[in-house]
């Protein structure tokens, strides 16, 4: 990058918690910028003061060169690298946008009765049509390739139409070429920019100032439904929103997000039940600092542990789950992977199942070798455990200290890992 000597760049990665910096470096006097960071393959962004470069790392020896500055410079990637195609699409967009912008400025400075106005206006419409055709061609013929999909998504962040009802137009067309359930776009910087733009064009800040939580709830619920019930999309979305609106600063909004996420990620979807609706309202009590009831641990193979207070640990993860819930079993498998490390530090896991069939529950526990305290409340969502803890979906998790006070109430595995890291650091 010879034209960017001594410039500072950040290496940004998209993950389920949002976009975050994984490295920073300056371009050396020889024009070389290098990062030595062993991370996952995927989408990254090189962010500088004068522009960003988005790219996909798919091999361990990734490199490219840049002539000029990030915004207008010419990028060269290794042969047969799909980044070439991606940035070719972006350069085409850039050329068309520049032509549209130049013609628009010239038209603004001309009188409509001018002889050259009609000719320029015709050119302007032709270039706009050319871009529209390009967009449609990309969408129809190349949508199975990630370069086309992410280029379309990125392009939507750079609108080129200035019309009287700009906001209405933008809201109507902003998401034409972008699906929140798109696995290629998930967890990329563009993904989170799109969520941010969706909230902005729906006037989230005005709703917050007006404390209009009914409309905020509708907006958040609609955003979750746009994920088309795709679990990983909802996970990324939930973490982004909960990081953007933390419980300490935005408690009402935080719990609206939690409820929306829980409702769509449960195998116990019974929201039509008035009892469940009451539990949704009461779930606002389940937050950090809440004193957890001393729940009985029925049918536990360990006869010494009859209730939560019998668990001797610095930190206890209480997870309420169900063997019939796919999300529950996936969560337990992920917890099992981190259990040995954190168990040595003082963590214990108490997994209470809401399965009504003891034989079914015993079979799942024995087959999966869950190494922690296991118990079962066969009365399910109508039982004592669910009522005491305001549980209406599975899985539900509580991190509890030795005095039975909640340290955190994580909603996703990402949040669980973060809370454990914070507690044992």
């Amino acid at each position: 990058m010879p034209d960017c000597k001594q410039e500072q760049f950040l290496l940004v990665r998209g993950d389920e918690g949002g976009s975050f910096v994984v490295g920073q470096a300056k371009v050396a006097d020889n024009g070389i910028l290098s990062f030595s960071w062993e991370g996952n393959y995927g989408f990254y962004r090189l962010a500088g003061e004068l522009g960003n470069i988005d790219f996909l790392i798919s091999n361990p020896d990734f490199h490219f060169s840049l002539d000029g500055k990030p915004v207008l410079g010419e990028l060269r990637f290794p042969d047969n690298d799909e980044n070439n195609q991606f940035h070719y699409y972006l350069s085409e967009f850039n050329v068309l946008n520049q032509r549209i912008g130049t013609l628009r400025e010239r038209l603004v400075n001309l009188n409509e009765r001018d002889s050259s106005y009609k000719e320029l206006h015709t050119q302007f419409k032709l270039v706009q049509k050319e871009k529209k055709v390009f967009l449609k061609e990309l969408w129809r013929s190349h949508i199975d390739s990630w370069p086309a999909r992410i280029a379309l998504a990125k392009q939507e962040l750079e609108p080129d139409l200035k019309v009287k009802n700009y906001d209405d137009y933008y809201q109507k067309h902003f998401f034409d070429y972008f699906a929140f359930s798109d696995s290629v776009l998930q967890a990329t910087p563009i993904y989170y920019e799109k969520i941010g733009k969706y909230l902005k064009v729906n006037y989230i800040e005005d709703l917050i100032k007006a404390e209009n939580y009914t409309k905020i709830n509708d907006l958040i619920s609609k955003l979750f439904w746009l994920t088309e019930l795709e679990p990983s999309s909802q996970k990324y979305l939930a973490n982004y929103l909960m990081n953007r609106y933390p419980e300490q600063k935005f408690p009402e909004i935080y719990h609206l997000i939690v409820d929306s996420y829980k409702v769509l990620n449960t195998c116990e979807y019974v929201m039509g039940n008035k009892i469940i609706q009451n539990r949704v309202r009461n779930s606002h009590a389940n937050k950090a600092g809440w004193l957890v009831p001393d729940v009985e641990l029925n049918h536990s193979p360990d006869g010494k542990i009859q209730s939560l207070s019998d668990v001797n640990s610095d930190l206890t993860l209480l997870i309420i789950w169900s063997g019939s819930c796919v999300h529950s079993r996936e969560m337990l498998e992920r917890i099992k992977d981190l259990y040995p490390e954190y168990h040595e530090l003082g963590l214990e896991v108490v997994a209470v199942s809401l399965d009504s069939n003891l034989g079914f529950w015993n079979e799942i526990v024995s087959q999966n070798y869950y190494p922690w305290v296991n118990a079962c409340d066969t009365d399910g969502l109508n039982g004592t455990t669910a009522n005491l803890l305001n549980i209406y979906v599975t899985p539900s998790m509580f991190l509890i200290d030795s005095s039975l006070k909640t340290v955190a109430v994580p909603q996703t595995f990402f949040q669980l890992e973060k809370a454990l890291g914070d507690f044992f650091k």
Side-chain angles (χ1 to χ4, degrees):
M1 301 169 60
D3 297 295
C4 303
K5 294 177 182 178
Q6 293 302 311
E7 288 188 27
Q8 181 86 14
F9 284 89
L10 303 177
L11 186 62
V12 180
R13 171 77 167 125
D15 203 341
E16 57 191 65
S19 300
F20 58 96
V21 176
V22 296
Q24 55 184 327
K26 281 187 177 181
V27 180
D29 289 333
N30 60 4
I32 294 177
L33 174 69
S34 62
F35 289 93
S36 180
W37 183 75
E38 295 182 4
N40 297 324
Y41 296 143
F43 286 98
Y44 289 82
R45 164 171 292 170
L46 201 61
E49 290 185 5
L50 298 177
N52 304 321
I53 301 172
D54 290 312
F55 50 85
L56 175 71
I57 297 180
S58 57
N59 62 75
D61 185 27
F62 180 78
H63 62 277
F64 62 82
S65 62
L66 170 69
D67 291 338
K69 297 290 184 177
V71 176
L72 300 173
E74 183 178 352
L75 284 163
R76 294 186 181 88
F77 292 87
D79 292 340
N80 301 319
D81 193 314
E82 284 189 286
N83 282 290
N84 286 318
Q85 190 180 28
F86 167 40
H87 284 278
Y88 164 73
Y89 293 149
L90 292 183
S91 66
E92 286 296 300
F93 283 133
N94 189 51
V95 169
L96 290 168
N97 284 339
Q98 283 186 332
R99 288 172 62 192
I100 289 170
T102 300
L103 288 169
R104 182 187 290 116
E105 288 180 8
R106 292 175 65 186
L107 285 170
V108 168
N109 295 321
L110 285 176
N111 190 305
E112 291 187 17
R113 296 178 181 178
D114 239 326
S115 58
S116 59
Y117 182 89
K118 186 174 181 180
E119 182 181 348
L120 279 175
H121 190 264
T122 301
Q123 290 181 33
F124 178 70
K125 289 297 182 182
L126 285 174
V127 178
Q128 282 193 319
K129 183 177 180 181
E130 186 179 347
K131 181 177 177 181
K132 188 175 181 180
V133 170
F134 183 47
L135 284 167
K136 287 185 176 180
E137 176 63 22
L138 222 53
W139 176 251
R140 291 172 179 170
S141 305
H142 304 285
I143 201 57
D144 288 334
S145 72
W146 74 256
R149 285 149 73 187
I150 200 164
L152 284 165
K154 183 176 177 66
Q155 172 55 26
E156 290 172 34
L157 297 171
E158 302 169 4
D160 58 40
L161 294 178
K162 290 188 177 180
V163 294
K164 290 181 180 179
N165 299 321
Y166 177 75
D167 288 339
D168 292 338
Y169 178 89
Y170 206 12
Q171 290 186 47
K172 182 178 179 182
H173 295 284
F174 187 79
F175 299 96
D176 285 353
Y177 304 106
F178 181 90
F180 282 100
S181 58
D182 192 329
S183 60
V184 168
L185 297 170
Q186 285 173 13
T188 67
I190 289 173
Y191 183 82
Y192 298 111
E193 287 178 5
K194 295 285 280 190
I195 298 172
K197 176 56 74 173
Y198 180 89
L199 294 171
K200 182 178 180 180
V201 299
N202 283 282
Y203 308 108
I204 184 70
E205 297 303 325
D206 293 340
L207 295 176
I208 292 173
K209 287 180 182 178
E211 298 185 355
N212 192 335
Y213 296 113
T214 300
K215 288 191 175 181
I216 292 173
N217 184 46
D218 292 341
L219 174 57
I220 290 171
S221 298
K222 184 178 179 182
L223 189 51
F224 271 102
W225 280 106
L226 285 173
T227 63
E228 299 178 1
L229 304 183
E230 206 283 316
S232 62
S233 296
Q234 292 181 11
K235 176 184 66 176
Y236 294 133
L237 175 59
N239 278 308
Y240 171 85
L241 291 174
M242 285 187 279
N243 285 337
R244 176 167 173 157
Y245 302 108
E247 185 177 20
Q248 294 81 2
K249 189 175 180 181
F250 302 96
E252 296 88 353
I253 300 175
Y254 181 89
H255 286 290
L256 291 175
I257 296 163
V258 169
D259 289 342
S260 294
Y261 178 73
K262 279 186 172 181
V263 166
L264 294 178
N265 282 273
T266 176
C267 296
E268 312 287 354
Y269 190 80
V270 284
M271 290 305 294
N273 188 306
K274 288 184 179 179
I275 296 175
I276 302 303
Q277 291 175 349
N278 287 335
R279 285 193 190 150
V280 170
R281 288 190 287 271
N282 293 336
S283 70
H284 290 196
N286 297 358
K287 57 186 178 182
W290 178 56
L291 185 63
V292 176
D294 192 11
V295 177
E296 292 185 8
L297 302 178
N298 300 315
H299 308 291
S300 175
D302 190 337
K304 296 179 181 179
I305 299 178
Q306 299 292 322
S307 65
L308 272 179
S309 59
D310 295 332
V311 179
N312 183 22
S313 64
D314 296 331
L315 186 69
T316 299
L317 169 61
L318 172 63
I319 177 168
I320 312 301
W321 66 288
S322 167
S324 60
C325 173
V326 175
H327 305 301
S328 291
R329 294 170 70 167
E330 288 177 349
M331 183 66 74
L332 288 178
E333 284 302 311
R334 299 184 75 178
I335 292 171
K336 191 164 68 171
D337 289 338
L338 59 74
Y339 179 73
E341 175 188 352
Y342 284 104
H343 184 58
E344 289 185 3
L345 297 174
L347 173 72
E348 187 52 87
V349 174
V350 175
V352 180
S353 167
L354 300 183
D355 291 298
S356 58
N357 187 321
L358 277 177
F360 173 67
W361 167 69
N362 270 312
E363 185 178 353
I364 291 177
V365 171
S366 59
Q367 283 182 351
N368 291 281
Y369 304 105
Y370 295 143
W372 43 67
V373 179
N374 292 290
C376 185
D377 185 342
T378 54
D379 290 330
L381 285 172
N382 295 315
T384 304
T385 302
N387 277 295
L388 287 174
L389 298 172
N390 293 317
I391 298 297
Y392 59 95
V393 294
T394 56
S396 290
M397 296 183 289
F398 305 85
L399 277 173
I400 308 166
D401 66 15
S402 56
S403 65
L404 295 189
K405 283 187 178 180
T406 50
V407 174
V409 186
Q411 307 301 322
T412 64
F413 184 76
F414 173 83
Q415 289 200 331
L416 172 61
E417 274 195 309
K418 186 177 185 301
L420 289 174
D422 290 341
F423 186 87
F424 289 111
K425 65 183 178 182

